[in-house]
Amino acid sequence: MNPAARVLEKMPEEARRMGSLLTQAGYRFWVVGGVVRDALLERLPTDWDFSTDAPVEALIRLLSPSFRVIPVGLRHGTVHVLTAHGAMEVTSWEGNGSQAVLDDLRRRDFTVNALAVSFPDGTLLDPFGGRRDLERRRLRGVDDPLARFREDPLRVLRASRFAATLGLHATPKTLRCLRQAAPWLQETATERVREELFKLLTGPWVVEGLELARRTGVLEVVIPELLEGYRKKQNHYHAHDIYHHTLYAVHHSPARIRVRLAALLHDIAKPRVRKKIRGVFRFFGHDKENAGMAQSILERWLVPKKLAEEVCILVANHMVHGTDCWKDGAVRRLIHRVGEPLLEDLLDLMAADRMAHGTEAAAGEESVERLRQRIARILAEKPALDLSALAVDGRDVMAALGIGPGPQVGRVLKRVHRIVLEDPAMNRRDVLLAWIREKGRDVSDE
Ligand code: ATP
Ligand code: MG
């Protein structure tokens, strides 16, 4: 059996239903685009796109009794059909049988995406040699690539995304066109750019994807700050320049967007703070600068606020060294500072950063693993990680000091919390009340 036909077996029931409604009325129905490509790669289908030669009015009339049909791009004849599997896209192409789907495929971005399988017989339509390109891991624009990139410059970024997610390599002609078209990416809506970028960053070939983005000029548009580290040497702890070290740190991080963004930005300010002192490059204060630059880049990409904040916390706290010598109190303070839900990402980032040094001298993954185990042990002891876990509260502070509500109450609680993080045995009501009576008045801002 033609392997692309297997995509039909995986088709959700609702899609099958749509196919039957249209084919019984004498029209044709094809599965198109990424899902066919993914079937050839034996990957699980994600979202479903279809094409039909039914005029859009007929399409809506035939599907409406069974589905909620939302006309999204009537100019292009596109509707969304709502199903339990999410919205499925059906595009109507008036034309003579297969001519309709050929017109559709010609509008797609890369040959590997310009594929269609006919329902229900399973015939593969591959007018641009996409299947062969996929086998050879070749990324090639459909038809006249430059004109196609002009129509929608997002395709230039999608090229790097497919390098990162599918391990494809651009052919020389496509590469030339990508280079010419990259500046046009500036005209594209930020949200679309961000979505593609996130997919790129979580791909298994992320180094190759980012390298293609650099060589084509996409990085220049999207994150020029990263290029400042290109060919910028570091010190003897590092085998790579700042740029390559960053790429390898992303690669060594797990494929989760939060930690990968943190890895991408973890040294972003380094080129700007690099100073040569007695012949050695030093990077004083770069953790704070990193977090500030990371924040402005994430804002520029309109990254949702919570995600952006979390990434900045990871960036600001990744420079943790000498933890083997730390007392438990210091580990508890780190847990408090970063917050329990971010700890796994922080440890993964620290390990990835060390793996990306590329030298023996700095290999410190084992110490990260030891810290991981210590954190697990300390968390199992259920330390008082926030003020609500203290054996005293604000009312106790006010009563013990004979004062009313005000900033002093908060200051005392914070100080008491610090004491408890240092020594959990102090978290007893009688002990803390005695401390507050004795020293609470003297607590001032830290
Ligand atoms: P994913 O794995 O993210 O679903 P995909 O390639 O399927 O990747 P979609 O955004 O779902 O991407 O688009 C489905 C199909 O529509 C693509 O495979 C491609 O054929 C076509 N397509 C999507 N975006 C573009 C675009 N900007 N220009 C041209 N064709 C596009
Ligand atoms: Mg898709």
Side-chain angles (χ1 to χ4, degrees), residues 32-35 37-38 46-47 49 107-109 113-114 148 152 154-155 158 161-162 192 196 199:
V32 287
V35 70
R37 170 201 75 209
D38 289 346
T46 48
D47 48 14
D49 299 301
R107 272 184 58 241
R108 303 210 168 236
D109 48 5
N113 291 333
R148 315 308 316 290
D152 180 6
L154 185 70
R155 292 167 185 163
R158 281 173 61 87
R161 192 256 275 203
F162 293 121
R192 296 181 74 209
E196 285 301 329
K199 286 182 181 173

Coordinates of all heavy atoms in Angstrom, one line a residue, residues 32-35 37-38 46-47 49 107-109 113-114 148 152 154-155 158 161-162 192 196 199, ligand 1:
V32 N -4.9 17.2 2.8 CA -3.8 17.9 2.3 C -2.8 18.4 3.3 O -3.1 18.6 4.5 CB -4.3 19.2 1.5 CG1 -4.9 18.8 0.2 CG2 -5.2 20.0 2.3
G33 N -1.6 18.7 2.8 CA -0.6 19.5 3.6 C 0.1 18.7 4.7 O 0.4 17.5 4.5
G34 N 0.4 19.3 5.8 CA 1.3 18.8 6.8 C 0.9 17.4 7.3 O 1.8 16.6 7.6
V35 N -0.3 17.1 7.3 CA -0.7 15.8 7.9 C -0.3 14.6 6.9 O 0.0 13.6 7.4 CB -2.3 15.8 8.2 CG1 -3.1 15.8 7.0 CG2 -2.6 14.6 9.1
R37 N 2.4 14.8 4.9 CA 3.8 14.8 5.2 C 4.1 14.0 6.5 O 5.0 13.1 6.5 CB 4.3 16.2 5.4 CG 5.7 16.4 5.8 CD 5.8 17.8 6.4 NE 5.2 17.9 7.8 CZ 4.7 19.0 8.3 NH1 4.7 20.1 7.6 NH2 4.1 19.0 9.5
D38 N 3.4 14.2 7.5 CA 3.6 13.5 8.8 C 3.3 12.0 8.7 O 4.0 11.2 9.3 CB 2.8 14.2 9.9 CG 3.3 15.5 10.3 OD1 4.5 15.9 9.9 OD2 2.6 16.3 11.0
T46 N -1.4 15.8 13.7 CA -1.7 16.8 14.6 C -3.0 17.4 14.2 O -4.1 17.0 14.5 CB -0.6 17.9 14.8 OG1 -0.2 18.3 13.5 CG2 0.5 17.3 15.6
D47 N -3.0 18.5 13.3 CA -4.2 19.1 12.9 C -4.5 18.6 11.4 O -3.6 18.3 10.7 CB -4.2 20.6 13.0 CG -2.9 21.1 12.4 OD1 -2.2 20.4 11.7 OD2 -2.6 22.3 12.7
D49 N -6.2 19.2 7.6 CA -6.6 20.1 6.6 C -7.1 19.4 5.4 O -6.5 18.3 5.0 CB -5.4 21.0 6.1 CG -4.9 21.8 7.3 OD1 -5.6 22.6 7.8 OD2 -3.7 21.7 7.6
R107 N -0.3 26.6 -4.1 CA -0.3 27.7 -3.2 C 0.4 27.4 -1.9 O 0.6 28.3 -1.0 CB -1.7 28.0 -2.8 CG -2.4 29.0 -3.7 CD -3.8 29.3 -3.1 NE -3.8 29.9 -1.7 CZ -4.3 29.3 -0.7 NH1 -4.9 28.1 -0.7 NH2 -4.2 29.9 0.5
R108 N 0.9 26.2 -1.7 CA 1.5 25.8 -0.4 C 3.0 26.2 -0.4 O 3.5 26.7 -1.4 CB 1.3 24.4 -0.1 CG -0.2 24.1 -0.1 CD -0.7 23.0 0.7 NE -2.1 23.1 0.8 CZ -2.8 23.2 1.9 NH1 -2.2 23.2 3.1 NH2 -4.1 23.3 1.9
D109 N 3.6 26.1 0.8 CA 4.9 26.7 0.9 C 6.1 25.9 0.4 O 6.9 26.3 -0.5 CB 5.2 27.2 2.4 CG 4.8 26.1 3.4 OD1 4.5 25.0 3.0 OD2 4.9 26.4 4.6
N113 N 5.2 19.9 1.9 CA 3.8 20.2 2.4 C 2.8 20.2 1.3 O 1.6 20.4 1.5 CB 3.8 21.6 3.1 CG 4.6 21.6 4.4 OD1 4.7 20.5 5.0 ND2 5.1 22.7 4.8
A114 N 3.3 20.1 0.0 CA 2.4 20.2 -1.1 C 2.0 18.8 -1.6 O 2.2 18.4 -2.7 CB 3.0 21.0 -2.3
R148 N 6.7 33.3 -3.8 CA 5.9 32.7 -2.8 C 6.3 33.3 -1.4 O 5.4 33.4 -0.6 CB 6.1 31.2 -2.8 CG 6.0 30.5 -4.1 CD 4.8 30.9 -4.9 NE 3.6 30.9 -4.1 CZ 3.0 29.8 -3.6 NH1 3.5 28.7 -4.0 NH2 2.0 29.9 -2.9
D152 N 3.9 35.7 1.4 CA 3.8 35.5 2.9 C 5.2 35.2 3.4 O 5.7 34.1 3.4 CB 2.8 34.3 3.2 CG 2.7 34.1 4.7 OD1 3.3 34.9 5.5 OD2 2.1 33.1 5.1
L154 N 6.3 34.8 6.3 CA 6.4 33.9 7.4 C 7.0 32.6 6.9 O 7.7 31.8 7.6 CB 5.0 33.6 8.0 CG 5.0 32.7 9.2 CD1 5.6 33.4 10.4 CD2 3.7 32.1 9.6
R155 N 6.8 32.3 5.6 CA 7.4 31.0 5.0 C 8.9 31.0 5.2 O 9.5 29.9 5.3 CB 7.0 31.0 3.5 CG 5.6 30.8 3.3 CD 5.1 31.0 1.9 NE 3.6 30.9 1.8 CZ 2.9 31.3 0.8 NH1 3.5 31.9 -0.2 NH2 1.6 31.2 0.9
R158 N 9.3 29.6 8.6 CA 8.8 28.2 8.5 C 9.9 27.3 8.0 O 10.1 26.1 8.4 CB 7.5 28.0 7.7 CG 6.3 28.5 8.5 CD 5.0 28.5 7.6 NE 4.6 27.3 7.0 CZ 3.8 26.4 7.6 NH1 3.4 26.6 8.8 NH2 3.5 25.2 7.0
R161 N 12.0 26.4 10.8 CA 11.2 25.5 11.6 C 11.2 24.1 11.1 O 11.4 23.2 11.9 CB 9.7 26.0 11.7 CG 8.9 25.4 12.8 CD 8.0 24.3 12.3 NE 6.7 24.9 11.8 CZ 5.6 24.2 11.7 NH1 5.5 22.9 12.1 NH2 4.5 24.8 11.3
F162 N 11.1 23.9 9.8 CA 11.1 22.6 9.3 C 12.5 22.0 9.3 O 12.7 20.8 9.4 CB 10.6 22.5 7.9 CG 9.1 22.8 7.8 CD1 8.5 23.8 7.1 CD2 8.2 22.0 8.6 CE1 7.2 24.1 7.1 CE2 6.8 22.3 8.6 CZ 6.3 23.3 7.9
R192 N 2.2 35.4 14.7 CA 2.5 34.3 13.8 C 4.0 33.9 13.9 O 4.3 32.8 13.9 CB 2.1 34.7 12.4 CG 0.7 34.9 12.1 CD 0.4 35.3 10.7 NE 0.5 34.2 9.8 CZ 0.9 34.2 8.5 NH1 1.3 35.4 8.0 NH2 1.0 33.1 7.8
E196 N 5.7 30.2 15.2 CA 6.7 29.4 14.4 C 8.0 29.3 15.2 O 8.6 28.2 15.2 CB 7.0 30.1 13.0 CG 5.8 29.9 12.0 CD 5.5 28.4 11.7 OE1 6.5 27.6 11.7 OE2 4.4 28.1 11.4
K199 N 7.8 26.6 17.7 CA 7.9 25.3 17.2 C 9.4 25.0 16.8 O 9.9 23.9 17.0 CB 7.0 25.2 15.9 CG 5.6 25.1 16.3 CD 4.7 24.9 15.1 CE 3.2 24.8 15.6 NZ 2.2 24.9 14.5
Ligands
ATP1 P1 2.2 21.5 12.0 O1 3.0 20.3 12.2 O2 2.6 22.7 12.8 O3 0.7 21.3 11.9 P2 2.0 22.2 9.2 O4 3.0 22.2 8.1 O5 0.8 21.3 9.1 O6 2.8 22.0 10.5 P3 0.0 24.2 9.4 O7 0.1 25.6 9.9 O8 -0.8 23.2 10.1 O9 1.5 23.7 9.3 O10 -0.4 24.3 7.9 C1 -0.9 23.2 7.2 C2 -0.5 23.2 5.8 O11 -0.9 24.5 5.2 C3 1.0 23.2 5.6 O12 1.6 21.9 5.6 C4 1.2 23.9 4.3 O13 0.9 23.0 3.2 C5 0.2 24.9 4.3 N1 0.7 26.2 4.9 C6 0.6 26.6 6.2 N2 1.1 27.8 6.3 C7 1.5 28.2 5.1 C8 2.0 29.4 4.6 N3 2.4 30.4 5.4 N4 2.2 29.5 3.3 C9 1.9 28.5 2.5 N5 1.4 27.3 2.9 C10 1.2 27.2 4.2

